[in-house]
């Protein structure tokens, strides 16, 4: 088929970022995302961009702060331990309302952990990560093509709300190759000229009023107002940018909830369950922050049981419980340390829930 | 058709390339494909494997835990992956290097003396292509013509002089399978 090329997830996110206007990359190597800086080091100079391998993750994220403060489309990428090191800078970026793109190809933790795929940075990505009252916009792609599609729009979203955007992948998504196609006309040489953002600090030549990029507000009343402004921006993003996908949920009695690589395994489990006569469906958050609480809550009302599946010992399941709000029992199946859940295990648990979920319903209605 | 493969061997035996060639060929034939490498601290002489899915339908999970086909190039890979093959599936093993026969009787087993056959056509460096030829003949997942076209895409330019040798190796492997 014309136009399709095999890309690793890491290379795809890098190419998509460039096509979205990224001209600055600052990073420090770590497995399993090294193909991103490798690709950027070769490709960015071809489009007039700048690649810097910084002396540390802390330096890299502060270079992102500098470039973003000047209104450039800038990116950094890392994996779990490296993202932890970047959290101070991410908090400052959020505080200063600087749009940028951060990619985390998650590996097993805590500590140095391992290099195999994990989803154990969900709390860090969606609940703050750094200090202070802020949220990021966090996308959780489930395929290499979706990695491209979400990255292509990431800067527009980040700039619309002046909130840093994170792509939350994992080792499998970074290393996997799948066919992708880039939209016609998205080649970097066709990139439109972007006007200078009205907050960018590029020198007040020509007599315009000076602009200040800062996250310091020493008067409590001012910081209060500033944080309300940040929250209002996030609420706007929540209303307009929350995204999710549903697979065979129309008549589902057991609802699987999963994101990223785990959602792919769940999709396989849904097919097997349907073949076995169990009406299973999948709810897949695409934005994990803002989380699709409303849509999941509505869907949960029709099902006998919800099963959250994660490559962690239970992080997103907290958001699922908030969304479901008691409308159905919420069960959890998790793997940790770099182990990917098996479809067979998910099938077994979901099939049991289809039976017990029914029993549970009967109990609640006083039938049994 | 859903073909879920695990291809495994020593680093340096070309197992990643075998998977990539299949993926490219599948993609060019309009199929859905995915390729995942093992990415532990692998090095030449260590063990490596890749998971490949080639499917007419959209691929749900690219993670392969019950392969329809396992291709194993060395003994540790046979020991690890033989038990995982789906009943009725296919196991191809490199009998030049593996000193035991597979034990499963509920799957199809093909022994390929890949290094010897590679030597016969010119170099045991194309042992992987001999095995790939045997696989394609046995399963028909993609056509030999498409695979031939993909070699230039997958092999680095400095190796393009070896394409005729690779084609010869694919053919030699195919001849082995009835």
């Amino acid at each position: 088929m014309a136009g399709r090329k095999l890309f690793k997830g890491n290379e795809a996110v890098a190419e998509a970022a460039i096509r979205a206007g990224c001209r600055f990359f600052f990073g420090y190597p770590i497995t399993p995302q090294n193909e991103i800086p490798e690709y950027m080091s070769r490709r960015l100079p071809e489009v007039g961009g700048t690649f810097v391998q910084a002396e540390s993750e802390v330096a890299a994220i502060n270079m992102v702060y500098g470039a973003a403060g000047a209104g450039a489309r800038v990116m950094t990428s890392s994996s779990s331990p490296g993202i932890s090191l970047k959290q101070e800078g991410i908090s400052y970026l959020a505080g200063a309302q600087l749009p940028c793109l951060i990619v985390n190809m998650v590996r097993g933790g805590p500590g140095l952990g391992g290099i195999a795929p994990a989803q154990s940075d969900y709390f860090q990505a969606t609940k703050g990560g750094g200090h202070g009252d802020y949220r990021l916009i966090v996308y959780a792609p489930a395929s290499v093509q979706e990695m491209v599609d979400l990255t292509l729009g990431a800067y527009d979203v980040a700039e619309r709300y002046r909130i840093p955007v994170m792509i939350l992948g994992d080792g499998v998504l970074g290393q996997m190759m799948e066919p992708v196609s880039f939209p016609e006309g998205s080649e970097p040489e066709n990139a439109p000229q972007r006007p200078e953002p009205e907050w960018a600090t590029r020198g007040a030549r020509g007599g315009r009023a000076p602009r200040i990029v800062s996250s310091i507000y020493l008067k409590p009343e001012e910081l209060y107002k500033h944080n309300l402004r940040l929250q209002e921006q996030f609420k706007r993003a929540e209303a307009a940018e929350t995204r999710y996908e549903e697979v065979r949920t129309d008549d589902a009695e057991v609802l699987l909830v999963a994101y990223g690589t785990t959602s792919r395994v769940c999709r396989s489990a849904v097919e097997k369950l349907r073949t076995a006569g169990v009406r299973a469906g999948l709810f897949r958050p695409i934005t994990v922050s803002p989380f699709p609480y409303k849509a999941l809550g509505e869907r949960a009302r029709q099902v006998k049981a919800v099963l959250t599946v994660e490559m962690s010992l239970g992080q997103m399941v907290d958001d699922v419980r908030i969304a479901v709000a008691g409308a159905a029992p919420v069960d959890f199946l998790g793997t940790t340390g770099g182990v990917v859940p098996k479809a067979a295990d998910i099938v077994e648990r979901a099939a049991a829930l289809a039976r017990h979920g029914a029993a549970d319903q009967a109990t609640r209605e006083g039938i049994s | 058709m859903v073909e879920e493969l695990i291809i495994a061997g020593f680093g340096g035996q070309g197992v990643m390339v075998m998977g990539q060639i299949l993926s490219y060929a599948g993609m060019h034939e309009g199929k859905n494909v995915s390729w995942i490498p093992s990415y532990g601290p692998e090095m030449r002489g260590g063990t490596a494997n890749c998971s490949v899915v080639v499917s007419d339908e959209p691929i749900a999970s690219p993670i392969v835990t019950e392969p329809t086909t396992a291709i194993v190039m060395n003994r540790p890979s046979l020991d690890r992956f033989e038990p995982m093959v789906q009943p009725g599936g296919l196991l191809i093993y490199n009998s030049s290097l593996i000193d035991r026969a597979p034990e499963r009787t509920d799957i199809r087993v093909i022994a390929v003396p890949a290094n010897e056959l590679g030597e016969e056509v010119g170099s045991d460096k194309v042992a992987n292509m001999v095995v790939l030829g045997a696989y394609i003949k046995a399963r028909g997942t993609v056509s030999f013509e498409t695979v031939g076209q993909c070699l230039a895409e997958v092999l680095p330019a400095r190796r393009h002089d070896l394409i005729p040798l690779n084609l010869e190796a694919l053919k030699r492997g195919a001849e082995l399978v009835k």
Side-chain angles (χ1 to χ4, degrees):
Chain A
M1 245 200 269
R4 289 204 306 168
K5 279 188 164 174
L6 274 181
F7 265 79
K8 271 195 167 191
N10 283 332
E11 295 165 344
V13 75
E15 177 63 26
I18 287 174
R19 288 176 183 235
C22 174
R23 290 297 177 273
F24 295 87
F25 180 93
F26 308 108
Y28 188 82
I30 184 169
T31 303
Q33 62 81 56
N34 282 323
E35 290 84 0
I36 299 175
E38 182 188 10
Y39 191 92
M40 284 302 201
S41 68
R42 176 166 53 78
R43 187 85 169 98
L44 268 178
E46 291 175 1
V47 297
T50 299
F51 168 89
V52 177
Q53 179 171 317
E55 68 269 33
S56 71
E57 286 87 350
V58 177
I61 195 69
N62 284 291
M63 291 175 188
V64 169
Y65 187 95
R73 290 194 160 180
V74 54
M75 170 183 176
T76 189
S77 67
S78 191
S79 180
S80 310
I83 294 290
S84 291
L85 286 165
K86 289 180 173 157
Q87 289 301 338
E88 181 197 45
I90 293 172
S91 168
Y92 278 59
L93 282 153
Q97 297 188 268
L98 291 178
C100 62
L101 176 61
I102 302 155
V103 176
N104 183 2
M105 292 298 178
V106 181
R107 55 188 254 180
L112 208 46
I115 60 174
Q119 296 180 318
S120 41
D121 297 356
Y122 180 90
F123 284 151
Q124 187 198 52
T126 63
K127 308 297 176 200
H131 60 281
D133 253 341
Y134 76 94
R135 299 279 169 133
L136 302 181
I137 295 168
V138 184
Y139 290 110
S143 69
V144 179
Q145 182 66 56
E146 194 174 40
M147 193 101 75
V148 168
D149 298 341
L150 294 173
T151 303
L152 284 172
Y155 287 106
D156 290 340
V157 170
E159 288 167 6
R160 194 172 303 141
Y161 305 99
R162 295 191 60 185
I163 297 174
V165 165
M166 177 178 277
I167 302 276
L168 188 67
D170 61 57
V172 168
L173 285 164
Q175 294 296 320
M176 173 168 63
M177 285 204 310
E178 284 183 319
V180 295
S181 55
F182 290 90
E184 295 275 339
S186 70
E187 296 77 12
E189 53 272 23
N190 298 333
Q193 279 298 109
R194 288 174 54 241
E196 180 180 304
E198 78 279 6
W199 42 265
T201 50
R202 295 184 187 171
R205 286 183 217 91
R208 71 155 168 77
R211 299 162 178 168
I212 297 172
V213 169
S214 168
S215 67
I216 190 167
Y217 295 87
L218 286 176
K219 288 186 184 150
E221 300 76 20
E222 284 182 14
L223 184 54
Y224 190 118
K225 262 192 244 167
H226 176 66
N227 285 349
L228 287 180
R229 202 156 50 230
L230 298 185
Q231 193 189 39
E232 188 199 328
Q233 296 286 72
F234 186 77
K235 291 281 175 204
R236 277 181 49 220
E238 185 171 38
E241 310 295 341
T242 302
R243 291 169 70 176
Y244 58 91
E245 183 193 10
E246 294 189 81
V247 181
R248 307 199 68 169
T249 50
D250 281 351
D251 64 341
E253 54 179 353
V254 177
L255 186 65
L256 304 182
V257 186
Y259 68 97
T261 291
T262 308
S263 75
R264 298 287 294 269
V265 184
C266 284
R267 200 179 274 261
S268 189
V270 165
E271 287 173 11
K272 288 180 209 289
L273 283 158
R274 289 272 172 177
T275 306
V278 178
R279 295 204 312 275
L282 168 67
F283 187 98
R284 176 174 78 88
I286 297 172
T287 50
V288 285
S289 171
F291 189 85
Y293 291 109
K294 193 160 166 276
L296 177 55
E298 279 163 16
R299 184 57 73 194
R301 275 187 224 137
Q302 81 180 44
V303 304
K304 287 179 185 164
V306 175
L307 175 60
T308 308
V309 188
E310 294 177 65
M311 288 191 283
S312 81
L313 290 178
Q315 299 196 12
M316 182 181 71
V317 66
D318 287 4
D319 281 329
V320 174
R321 288 201 181 100
I322 290 169
V324 171
V330 175
D331 199 3
F332 173 75
L333 179 72
T335 55
T336 187
V339 174
V340 181
K342 289 196 170 75
D345 295 338
I346 300 168
V347 166
E348 191 184 330
R349 181 76 73 88
L353 281 173
R355 296 189 299 269
H356 300 162
D360 184 74
Q361 189 71 30
T363 310
R364 268 191 283 156
E365 289 166 7
I367 296 168
S368 61
Chain B
M1 186 271 304
V2 183
E3 181 74 336
E4 298 176 285
L5 298 101
I6 287 180
I7 308 174
F10 289 125
Q13 281 186 306
V15 297
M16 298 299 180
V17 168
M18 291 163 79
Q20 286 181 5
I21 290 171
L22 267 180
S23 305
Y24 274 94
M27 180 179 72
H28 288 310
E29 291 186 0
K31 298 178 166 74
N32 297 291
V33 298
S34 63
W35 174 92
I36 306 176
S38 60
Y39 63 92
E42 270 90 1
M43 55 183 171
R44 191 170 296 268
T47 59
N49 70 78
C50 62
S51 304
V52 177
V53 182
V54 183
S55 172
D56 292 324
E57 303 298 318
I59 295 169
S61 173
I63 313 275
V64 178
T65 45
E66 295 164 19
T68 52
T69 295
I71 298 176
V72 295
M73 298 294 286
N74 64 3
R75 172 73 191 266
S77 300
L78 175 67
D79 294 345
R80 181 171 168 200
F81 295 112
E82 180 184 358
M84 291 167 61
V85 178
Q86 279 182 26
L90 171 65
L91 173 69
I92 301 185
Y93 73 106
N94 178 6
S95 56
S96 301
L97 295 185
I98 298 175
D99 56 3
R100 75 164 174 91
E103 288 157 5
R104 296 273 298 269
T105 53
D106 60 338
I107 55 175
R108 182 180 181 193
V109 174
I110 300 174
V112 180
N115 291 59
E116 277 98 324
L117 295 180
E119 286 283 4
E120 270 180 41
V121 300
S123 165
D124 68 352
K125 283 180 185 159
V126 291
N128 61 338
M129 290 298 141
V130 174
V131 173
L132 189 61
Y135 164 75
I136 292 166
K137 179 73 184 297
R139 293 294 262 205
T141 311
V142 290
S143 78
F144 278 98
E145 198 188 348
T146 318
V147 168
Q149 288 161 2
C150 291
L151 288 177
E153 222 169 339
V154 177
L155 299 176
R158 66 178 197 285
R159 293 269 181 260
H160 282 189
D161 58 319
L162 296 177
I163 288 175
L165 176 62
N166 278 276
L167 290 171
E168 198 55 39
L170 282 164
K171 210 170 119 195
R172 192 71 189 81
E175 284 165 8
L176 198 76
V177 179
K178 295 292 169 285

